[in-house]
């Protein structure tokens, strides 16, 4: 019976059919958090960066601007020259983290026979807890438009007891999200970090990635 019910469900693509925060609110009860300290991880306790890390980030930024000087960059290029080096510097390729690319996820609508399916560009896990779901887009794509998509991915987390974190980037801009599941799931977003100013905002991005990694590693000890 369960399999038959599954077969009767309409399956829709997240990227094409979940495009607004209003849809997430209507179908899944998602609300923006009211507490000011809900998402402090991108503001407090940020680790310092070494001179070598700063040099590596300067190189990533220079490489991005050089490649972008001839026009927009595709998603695969952004992953190669920006996203992958950042995740490596953050330590997300090392134990105890596990890295998966193009992970397929499903999100069921609680009150209807409908489910959504999506493929996450990059997913980092630690002991079955989602650390960060990363959605990368072409450079001409606004990161604002991808926020509902990454929040939908976080809603599909099979371990809803713990907070999950997301990041959206088009290579030149970055924004972080946090989601807490529950009867009323809540979310919040960080500022948008852009590579346009003279200051290298990749420093901030790497510090936040490292901070999120630290928070998640502490969860098994303090989560209960």
């Amino acid at each position: 019976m369960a399999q038959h019910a599954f077969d009767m469900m309409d399956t829709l693509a997240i990227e094409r059919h979940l495009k607004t925060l209003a849809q997430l609110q209507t179908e899944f009860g998602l609300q923006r958090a009211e507490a000011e300290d809900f998402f402090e991880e991108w503001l407090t306790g940020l680790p310092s960066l070494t001179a070598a890390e700063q040099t590596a980030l300067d190189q990533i930024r220079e490489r991005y601007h050089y490649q972008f000087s001839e026009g927009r960059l595709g998603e695969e290029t952004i992953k190669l020259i920006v996203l992958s080096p950042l995740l490596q510097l953050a330590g997300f390729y090392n134990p105890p983290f596990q890295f998966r690319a193009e992970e397929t996820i499903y999100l069921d609508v609680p009150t209807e026979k409908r489910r959504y399916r999506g493929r996450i560009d990059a997913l980092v896990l630690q002991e079955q807890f989602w650390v960060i779901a990363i959605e990368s887009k072409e450079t001409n794509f606004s990161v604002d438009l991808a926020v509902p998509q990454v929040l939908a991915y976080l809603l599909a987390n099979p371990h809803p007891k713990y907070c999950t974190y997301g990041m959206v980037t088009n290579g030149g801009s970055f924004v972080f999200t946090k989601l807490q599941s529950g009867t009323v799931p809540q979310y919040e977003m960080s500022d948008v970090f852009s590579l346009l100013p003279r200051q290298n905002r990749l420093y901030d991005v790497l510090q936040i990635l490292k901070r999120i990694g630290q928070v998640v590693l502490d969860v098994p000890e303090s989560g209960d």
Side-chain angles (χ1 to χ4, degrees):
M1 294 295 291
Q3 182 62 42
H4 178 71
F6 172 84
D7 292 338
M8 294 296 291
M9 278 188 177
D10 292 328
T11 301
L12 306 173
I14 287 177
E15 186 171 359
R16 294 178 58 187
H17 296 279
L18 279 181
K19 295 184 176 182
T20 69
L21 294 172
Q23 286 178 279
L24 295 178
Q25 179 177 347
T26 299
E27 297 198 33
F28 304 99
L30 183 65
Q31 300 286 338
R32 193 158 191 172
E34 296 182 359
E36 293 185 0
D37 61 349
F38 178 80
F39 191 11
E40 286 192 322
E41 293 87 338
W42 74 275
L43 291 168
T44 63
L46 299 178
S48 58
L49 301 179
T50 67
E53 288 171 332
Q54 293 177 0
T55 298
L57 293 171
D58 290 341
Q59 292 173 344
I60 294 171
R61 183 173 182 265
E62 291 172 6
R63 191 179 302 129
Y64 167 80
H65 283 303
Y66 171 73
Q67 296 294 337
F68 184 60
S69 64
E70 296 296 328
R72 71 181 189 181
L73 301 180
E75 194 169 334
E76 295 304 317
T77 302
I78 291 170
K79 292 178 187 177
L80 182 64
I81 68 173
V82 178
L83 188 54
S84 182
L86 274 175
L87 294 180
Q88 182 176 3
L89 287 170
F92 285 148
Y93 292 152
N94 303 325
F97 298 108
Q98 292 182 332
F99 177 83
R100 299 179 186 174
E102 298 297 329
E103 185 83 358
T104 299
I105 59 95
Y106 294 94
L107 179 61
D108 294 334
V109 181
T111 58
E112 301 182 34
K113 290 183 178 180
R114 182 167 67 254
R115 64 166 25 189
Y116 293 95
R117 179 179 60 213
R119 293 180 68 85
I120 301 176
D121 286 341
L123 176 64
V124 181
L125 305 97
Q126 193 273 330
E127 292 190 358
Q128 298 183 323
F129 307 131
W130 293 24
V131 179
I132 187 163
I134 301 167
E135 183 65 14
S136 62
K137 296 293 184 181
E138 293 184 352
T139 49
N140 65 334
F141 191 94
S142 170
V143 293
D144 296 348
L145 298 178
V147 167
Q149 187 175 342
V150 79
L151 287 173
Y153 293 157
L154 298 184
L155 281 169
N157 176 17
H159 304 280
K161 180 179 179 180
Y162 299 97
C163 293
T164 47
Y165 301 88
M167 185 181 82
V168 176
T169 182
N170 59 8
S173 297
F174 301 78
V175 62
F176 291 88
T177 62
K178 176 181 179 178
L179 185 138
Q180 174 65 66
S181 298
T183 305
V184 179
Q186 299 183 72
Y187 78 96
E188 188 53 276
M189 298 179 291
S190 71
D191 287 347
V192 177
F193 299 94
S194 172
L195 298 190
L196 288 177
R198 181 177 296 273
Q199 180 185 2
N200 190 352
R201 303 308 301 273
L202 287 178
Y203 291 10
D204 303 274
V205 172
L206 180 57
Q207 286 179 300
I208 295 170
L209 285 171
K210 286 190 165 191
R211 174 63 175 147
I212 290 173
Q214 291 172 349
V215 169
V216 174
L217 288 178
D218 288 340
V219 165
E221 298 178 0
S222 59
D224 295 334

